[in-house]
Amino acid sequence: MMVSMTDYKTVPVITIDGPTASGKGTVAQRVAQALGWAMLDSGALYRLTALACRDAGVATTDEQSAARIAAGLDVRFEDGKVFLKGTEVSDAIRAESIGVQASQVATLGAVRQALLERQRAFRQPPGLVADGRDMGTVVFPEAPVKVFLVADVHARAQRRCKQLIDKGFPANLADLTRDLEERDARDRSRAHAPLVAAPDAVTIDSSNLSIEEAVNAVLDLWSGKGAQGA
Ligand code: DC
């Protein structure tokens, strides 16, 4: 069912923001599955923009060209797979070098603006779980449940290392820890939509939580709101 521009704001959204490799993606996916809702992996859009810039020979500092590429992205999300111009790039966008370039294009205001409506269009009934850096602050500021998912840098580096190795990419813990710290610093300090908890977000530290515990913590927040008729 399509929702008109006037009533899409009644569709509930759970936002899950936080630093790189805090477990947002996995938790968001499981929460979406549990509720039967759609899921927005907004980081994938920044990664796709970085990949499309690289393919087009556009520097991640060239704001106007990168924004044009972001606005014109030919993307399809289907059954957990991602396609760019019809070619599957699900694994290619997970490379660490693309993550670093995604963080670079994400500092550009015109790129963020170009991706804004594309992200909001994911808000369809019965609900949306949106994962990223600015879901609760900029993209869906009226979301009824906002989570800021954090974890200490060592837990995050270990998770990212395992993810990369599982996907067949080379990974080194010391390099990854340095990359994560640099990306976090860039994501937190940029002028446009920096990584920050929304004032009404609930912070969950997943360093010592299983995925299931983190998922249940988010679902508990939603049932608390749901009981109020959201
Ligand atoms: O979540 P991720 O690692 O796939 O995101 C890749 C980069 O994209 C991240 O370093 C910052 C950027 N990003 C962003 O600026 N805003 C978002 N909502 C999501 C990701």
Side-chain angles (χ1 to χ4, degrees), residues 19-21 96-97 99-100 103-104 152-161 164 170-188:
T20 300
E96 197 54 18
S97 60
V100 171
S103 163
Q104 291 165 348
D152 69 57
V153 73
H154 301 293
R156 293 191 286 127
Q158 266 160 356
R159 278 181 201 158
R160 179 49 55 89
C161 202
L164 288 169
N172 166 296
L173 198 57
D175 290 350
L176 275 173
T177 307
R178 199 195 50 235
D179 265 13
L180 287 189
E181 284 171 333
E182 279 175 17
R183 276 171 64 182
D184 286 351
R186 186 164 44 233
D187 292 347
R188 286 182 203 280

Side-chain angles (χ1 to χ4, degrees), residues 7-218:
D7 63 4
Y8 87 107
K9 283 196 172 178
T10 62
V11 176
V13 181
I14 296 177
T15 61
I16 305 183
D17 290 306
T20 300
S22 60
K24 299 183 307 295
T26 310
V27 171
Q29 217 164 28
R30 301 276 178 100
V31 169
Q33 258 166 16
L35 295 171
W37 290 6
M39 144 115 196
L40 165 62
D41 170 4
S42 61
L45 292 173
Y46 288 93
R47 288 172 179 268
L48 285 157
T49 303
L51 183 63
C53 283
R54 198 186 65 184
D55 289 351
V58 165
T60 52
T61 47
D62 180 347
E63 182 158 8
Q64 293 319 315
S65 306
R68 249 193 318 277
I69 284 179
L73 277 182
D74 173 6
V75 176
R76 193 158 43 91
F77 292 92
E78 205 174 277
D79 301 332
K81 295 181 183 155
V82 190
F83 298 83
L84 182 63
K85 285 194 206 160
T87 303
E88 196 193 342
V89 292
S90 319
D91 286 345
I93 60 165
R94 296 293 150 203
E96 197 54 18
S97 60
I98 289 293
V100 171
Q101 287 173 341
S103 163
Q104 291 165 348
V105 293
T107 63
L108 307 173
V111 168
R112 305 199 72 84
Q113 191 58 38
L115 293 177
L116 198 54
E117 288 314 314
R118 198 188 278 265
Q119 294 174 83
R120 289 186 174 149
F122 279 77
R123 189 174 194 171
Q124 299 283 338
L128 176 69
V129 182
D131 127 42
R133 304 292 186 290
D134 61 343
M135 298 295 99
T137 49
V138 175
V139 183
F140 302 110
E142 65 297 308
V145 172
K146 297 181 186 178
V147 172
F148 198 69
L149 194 64
V150 298
D152 69 57
V153 73
H154 301 293
R156 293 191 286 127
Q158 266 160 356
R159 278 181 201 158
R160 179 49 55 89
C161 202
K162 184 173 178 315
Q163 277 170 0
L164 288 169
I165 288 169
D166 287 350
K167 288 198 186 297
F169 290 115
N172 166 296
L173 198 57
D175 290 350
L176 275 173
T177 307
R178 199 195 50 235
D179 265 13
L180 287 189
E181 284 171 333
E182 279 175 17
R183 276 171 64 182
D184 286 351
R186 186 164 44 233
D187 292 347
R188 286 182 203 280
S189 64
R190 66 183 177 217
H192 305 284
L195 169 64
V196 62
D200 50 345
V202 175
T203 296
I204 298 176
D205 185 337
S206 73
S207 311
N208 299 309
L209 295 183
S210 66
I211 291 170
E212 195 138 21
E213 287 169 326
V215 169
N216 285 335
V218 179

